[in-house]
Amino acid sequence: MTQSVLNRADRGEPVDVAVLRTTEPEPVSELDAATHARHIRLWWAWLAGALVFCGGQMFTDATSPAGGYLAFAMPVLFSAGIVAGVVLNRPKPRGPWLLLASAGLVMVGGFTLWMAGASTVAFAVFLAVYPLEAAALLLIVRGASWRRDRAGLLDTAMICVGLGLACWLLVIAPLIRLGDALPGADMLTALFPFGDVLLVGVLVRFFTSRGQRNASFWQMSASVLLQTVTHMATLVPLIFAVGVPDLQPVTSFAAFLMAGAAIHPSMRILTGRPLRPVTEMSPRRVLLVNLACMAAPALLLAQGFLQNGNVDWKAAGIGCMMLFALVSLRMVDLVGQVQDKARQLDAVAHIDALTTLPNRRAWDLELYRRIAAARRHGNAVVVAIIDLDHFKRYNDEHGHQGGDELLTVAAAAWRTQVRPEDLLARYGGEEFGAILDHARLADADRVIERLQSVTPLGQTFSAGAAQWDGSETAEELVARADAALYAAKRAGRNRLYVSSTR
């Protein structure tokens, strides 16, 4: 129903505005005002509960049994809040939100393993939460489509590689050198910053495209930012031997914000409208990508100066190779876009917009080419000029739209009656031209007869044809065909006249 109404509107047919409005998808806030208001109240209640929970964590010793219970309860509440939001708001599709909710259950599994003493397996499970959450967030905003926005994904990848290299040199490598000083003496702790880089990449992806900037979106963005900052801050004491306050309440609040994004009614719109690619390169985006690409050599130089030439050349080399590969892909994508635009412009320059036949420019170029080929190989070429009879009178009686329809329908009908190697073009106004390759005047007579038999709406046309004499120019050949056309019109129209001599 919706598509048929829109198609009628696109064709210019009158459409009842009330019907058109009822077929448009309405925002969630307008579907049911009472339900929307109730969901907003639930959302506020959720945030209030989040503040109470996080306040309790602030005044509870994280190493105490109560602190342990609160830490264990947080991922459970995270998953429960997202599932509740899915049930309340019924987004389409629901899968990405449920995938996000499963991240909380994975965290619960990790805590269970940790308490059972399997710290190594628990760390691996905790690491799995990062790609799970990143994939869910990208699916929610539908921002992971390579076909839809290659440029945005490549720019995001370049920024992530630059951040990942900085993270390795400044955070992960120092952590690895600590060895036994890591929590639980587990080297997997050093890899957690890579997960934070992945989340930062998701955040960058959010802002390298256009899309819904509603309450749900901003909660998700704030949650990702808070998660990243608090996770990285917990590693600062291990590297620089400085004290950092317990940030677990902030981490919990970030999780509550993410679940609140699912409870807020705007999540339905966020899921239903995908990110749109940003075609122009803004100065900020260019600067960000350039800074990411310069991260590897800049960090290499900084290490060389500060550490007396002792540099991590392996990491820098791998980072440079990855960045160069991504830059090459970006260049290929840009060149492809330019080529696509060039092809589109070429099509616009050589195609008649109304009939979709080749236009006068294409006709002239093709005629010159075919005459040059005929001169080299001795081929026969025939040119025919076709003029719809009494077109001005038809226009006056049926209006310009009726005249346009006649031209369009006639062009479509005639196109089916010429050979693939022949060229049928709109010459100008109600005139059309045909170039018949490897043909003589007798062949032109048969082609014109076929065209006359399918001319639509009870109309007729007059035509003039001329065969290339082996030496004349394209202009002279067309002039002879044009003279034959006018002779056909003077003779009473609805006929073909041919010019056999110059």
Side-chain angles (χ1 to χ4, degrees):
M1 175 66 179
T2 302
Q3 192 60 46
S4 63
V5 172
L6 293 175
N7 289 340
R8 288 172 55 196
D10 290 340
R11 291 195 299 267
E13 299 179 15
V15 175
D16 187 353
V17 175
V19 174
L20 187 58
R21 287 174 180 168
T22 58
T23 59
E24 293 178 347
E26 300 179 4
V28 175
S29 58
E30 297 179 5
L31 291 176
D32 188 337
T35 302
H36 175 74
R38 184 168 63 253
H39 290 183
I40 291 294
R41 288 194 296 269
L42 289 172
W43 174 69
W44 280 113
W46 175 264
L47 292 185
L51 292 175
V52 172
F53 185 96
C54 296
Q57 279 190 316
M58 290 179 63
F59 298 101
T60 303
D61 185 2
T63 59
S64 66
Y69 287 133
L70 289 176
F72 188 84
M74 184 60 253
V76 176
L77 293 173
F78 171 83
S79 298
I82 294 177
V83 171
V86 170
V87 173
L88 287 171
N89 296 309
R90 299 186 300 276
K92 294 182 180 179
R94 302 181 184 184
W97 288 101
L98 296 177
L99 182 65
L100 183 61
S102 69
L105 300 180
V106 173
M107 285 291 293
V108 171
F111 278 125
T112 303
L113 292 169
W114 175 267
M115 290 185 292
S119 60
T120 302
V121 180
F123 275 126
V125 172
F126 290 146
L127 277 174
V129 173
Y130 287 103
L132 189 64
E133 183 179 356
L137 292 174
L138 289 176
L139 290 172
I140 285 171
V141 298
R142 297 164 68 182
S145 174
W146 172 261
R147 181 175 300 177
R148 184 183 296 119
D149 188 14
R150 294 188 300 273
L153 289 174
L154 287 172
D155 288 348
T156 302
M158 284 187 277
I159 294 170
C160 287
V161 169
L163 291 174
L165 180 60
C167 191
W168 173 268
L169 296 177
L170 301 178
V171 180
I172 297 176
L175 283 176
I176 292 176
R177 286 194 292 268
L178 289 175
D180 294 338
L182 294 176
D186 202 313
M187 297 297 291
L188 285 175
T189 304
L191 300 180
F192 275 74
F194 273 144
D196 295 318
V197 170
L198 184 61
L199 292 182
V200 171
V202 172
L203 196 60
V204 171
R205 179 69 183 120
F206 282 0
F207 291 94
T208 54
S209 298
R210 294 191 180 98
Q212 285 294 318
R213 300 289 190 263
N214 54 23
S216 183
F217 172 85
W218 289 114
Q219 286 179 88
M220 290 169 55
S221 301
S223 174
V224 171
L225 184 61
L226 285 176
Q227 286 182 66
T228 305
V229 172
T230 54
H231 291 170
M232 296 295 288
T234 57
L235 300 174
V236 172
L238 299 174
I239 303 174
F240 301 105
V242 296
V244 174
D246 181 19
L247 297 176
Q248 184 58 43
V250 181
T251 303
S252 297
F253 187 69
F256 273 109
L257 277 179
M258 186 67 74
I263 295 174
H264 197 279
S266 62
M267 65 89 85
R268 186 172 181 176
I269 302 176
L270 182 68
T271 305
R273 298 180 183 177
L275 293 176
R276 301 187 304 277
V278 179
T279 55
E280 69 276 5
M281 287 290 290
S282 65
R284 287 183 299 179
R285 184 166 176 174
V286 172
L287 177 62
L288 193 59
V289 172
N290 282 334
L291 288 175
C293 291
M294 290 186 291
L299 290 169
L300 196 62
L301 289 173
Q303 271 197 323
F305 281 116
L306 298 177
Q307 300 179 8
N308 298 321
N310 184 20
V311 298
D312 192 347
W313 57 270
K314 293 180 181 179
I318 293 173
C320 287
M321 290 172 63
M322 294 177 65
L323 284 171
F324 291 157
L326 290 170
V327 169
S328 298
L329 287 175
R330 188 70 166 95
M331 291 177 63
V332 170
D333 182 64
L334 287 173
V335 171
Q337 292 181 24
V338 172
Q339 290 175 340
D340 289 342
K341 294 296 183 183
R343 283 191 289 267
Q344 293 173 13
L345 289 174
D346 183 68
V348 169
H350 295 88
I351 297 296
D352 176 62
L354 179 62
T355 63
T356 69
L357 290 176
N359 60 14
R360 175 67 179 273
R361 180 195 296 262
W363 159 277
D364 290 338
L365 292 174
E366 188 65 15
L367 183 58
Y368 282 119
R369 189 187 69 81
R370 297 201 183 191
I371 287 182
R375 183 173 284 111
R376 289 193 304 270
H377 305 294
N379 302 331
V381 178
V382 172
V383 165
I385 306 295
I386 300 169
D387 185 280
L388 285 167
D389 294 331
H390 306 296
F391 182 75
K392 184 179 183 304
R393 185 172 66 191
Y394 187 92
N395 243 353
D396 294 338
E397 293 176 356
H398 298 86
H400 290 292
Q401 290 183 344
D404 289 346
E405 181 184 7
L406 173 60
L407 293 173
T408 303
V409 176
W414 293 341
R415 196 200 302 261
T416 63
Q417 301 300 315
V418 295
R419 301 171 301 174
E421 62 268 25
D422 297 333
L423 177 72
L424 179 67
R426 188 180 180 190
Y427 195 71
E430 69 273 23
E431 287 188 343
F432 295 80
I435 303 176
L436 309 178
D437 214 356
H438 297 83
R440 301 188 179 276
L441 291 175
D443 302 314
D445 185 26
R446 288 190 290 271
V447 171
I448 295 299
E449 187 177 359
R450 291 201 303 269
L451 300 186
Q452 287 174 329
S453 66
V454 298
T455 302
L457 304 177
Q459 301 304 301
T460 61
F461 67 79
S462 304
Q467 181 177 331
W468 183 60
D469 67 357
S471 60
E472 61 188 331
T473 63
E475 291 80 5
E476 293 170 337
L477 176 60
V478 172
R480 288 200 295 119
D482 205 40
L485 167 66
Y486 280 98
K489 295 174 72 171
R490 286 194 299 270
R493 303 179 189 272
N494 189 22
R495 63 195 66 208
L496 167 68
Y497 267 42
V498 297
S499 174
S500 57
T501 59
R502 295 184 59 179

